[in-house]
Amino acid sequence: MSQPPRSALSLIARGPFARLWWASLIGSTGDWITVFATIALGDEIAGGQGILVAVLARIMPGLLFGAAVGVITDRFDRRSLIVVADLGRALVVPLLLFATTLPVLVVISLVLEFLSLLGQSPRAAIVPRLVSRANIVTANSLMLAAAYATIPLGAAFNWFLASLPTVTLGGVVPETSAPFALAFLVDSATFLVSGLIIMTLPALRPESVEAARNNDAPAPDAEVTRSTGSDL
């Protein structure tokens, strides 16, 4: 007998999906803080050209690596991928403090956006594993809200953080990025918190890999590696 649908509030109040949603909400808010701060940093470095470059650096990875990330998502434990993506971004975001040229800004932004893709695809894929079929529509809507309804929230936080005294860390942070230092540090903290929350979820291997393990298929890890390389 199928379970009755639950309200949106009850879905985010408790359970594995609630942890996924809150982690996504926190991480997305931080991500939008950095998006706006990065665009402002690009303007500080090179004016209008810097703004254009900062925006393109956030768009291009989706065009270049989107399909590859989809292949990876279908082969490996999705919880681990999200944790790697979140903790990786927590380590990479502070490097923006030292981006004083457009090439450096582009490289860091490309890495951040690739990690963002690496975490975004598994998040969408595990929703049906965490809620009943009756709640999938509501759960997917909540995940979209966590990803995009946080845009104004991220913009507001970015404006607030920019209005605070600049952080130079004893003169270590260059003048060009000092006004945005708090934004980058706060974003790093949000990714750290998100990753720690995701660690509390159970292992979530793709269904095909789980089936191979349950059927005692010979060397499933090696087979997964070979098929992944072929699809890539």
Side-chain angles (χ1 to χ4, degrees), residues 114-127:
F114 175 79
L115 290 172
S116 180
L117 289 171
L118 188 65
Q120 184 180 34
S121 183
R123 275 184 167 87
I126 66 176
V127 170

Side-chain angles (χ1 to χ4, degrees), residues 8-45:
L9 288 178
S10 66
L11 281 176
I12 64 175
R14 56 185 173 83
F17 176 77
R19 280 175 273 164
L20 173 69
W21 187 81
W22 282 105
S24 300
L25 182 75
I26 293 168
S28 292
T29 301
D31 198 22
W32 287 114
I33 291 174
T34 288
V35 167
F36 291 114
T38 302
I39 292 173
L41 177 58
D43 182 39
E44 187 75 19
I45 294 173

Side-chain angles (χ1 to χ4, degrees), residues 30 33-34 36-38 40-41 44 93-99 157-158 160-189:
I33 291 174
T34 288
F36 291 114
T38 302
L41 177 58
E44 187 75 19
V93 164
L95 297 180
L96 288 168
L97 295 172
F98 309 101
F157 269 116
N158 185 66
F160 172 73
L161 293 171
S163 68
L164 297 177
T166 58
V167 174
T168 61
L169 299 180
V172 175
V173 178
E175 290 184 5
T176 51
S177 57
F180 320 108
L182 275 177
F184 296 142
L185 293 175
V186 168
D187 185 24
S188 178

Side-chain angles (χ1 to χ4, degrees), residues 67-72 74-75 223-232:
V69 169
V71 172
I72 294 172
D74 287 337
R75 298 298 191 278
E223 182 61 32
V224 167
T225 301
R226 285 195 296 271
S227 64
T228 300
S230 174
D231 286 349
L232 286 172

Side-chain angles (χ1 to χ4, degrees), residues 15-170:
F17 176 77
R19 280 175 273 164
L20 173 69
W21 187 81
W22 282 105
S24 300
L25 182 75
I26 293 168
S28 292
T29 301
D31 198 22
W32 287 114
I33 291 174
T34 288
V35 167
F36 291 114
T38 302
I39 292 173
L41 177 58
D43 182 39
E44 187 75 19
I45 294 173
Q49 181 185 7
I51 294 175
L52 177 62
V53 168
V55 171
L56 287 177
R58 302 292 302 212
I59 296 174
M60 292 304 296
L63 301 176
L64 298 175
F65 307 120
V69 169
V71 172
I72 294 172
T73 299
D74 287 337
R75 298 298 191 278
F76 299 101
D77 177 58
R78 289 156 180 173
R79 179 191 62 179
S80 299
L81 290 176
I82 300 172
V83 170
V84 168
D86 282 349
L87 298 187
R89 286 184 289 177
L91 294 175
V92 173
V93 164
L95 297 180
L96 288 168
L97 295 172
F98 309 101
T100 57
T101 64
L102 284 184
V104 174
L105 181 64
V106 167
V107 170
I108 297 173
S109 296
L110 289 175
V111 173
L112 283 174
E113 193 60 24
F114 175 79
L115 290 172
S116 180
L117 289 171
L118 188 65
Q120 184 180 34
S121 183
R123 275 184 167 87
I126 66 176
V127 170
R129 302 276 294 275
L130 300 179
V131 299
S132 66
R133 181 173 298 182
N135 295 308
I136 286 180
V137 172
T138 302
N140 284 333
S141 298
L142 287 168
M143 292 300 292
L144 284 173
Y148 297 107
T150 49
I151 293 176
L153 189 60
F157 269 116
N158 185 66
W159 172 83
F160 172 73
L161 293 171
S163 68
L164 297 177
T166 58
V167 174
T168 61
L169 299 180

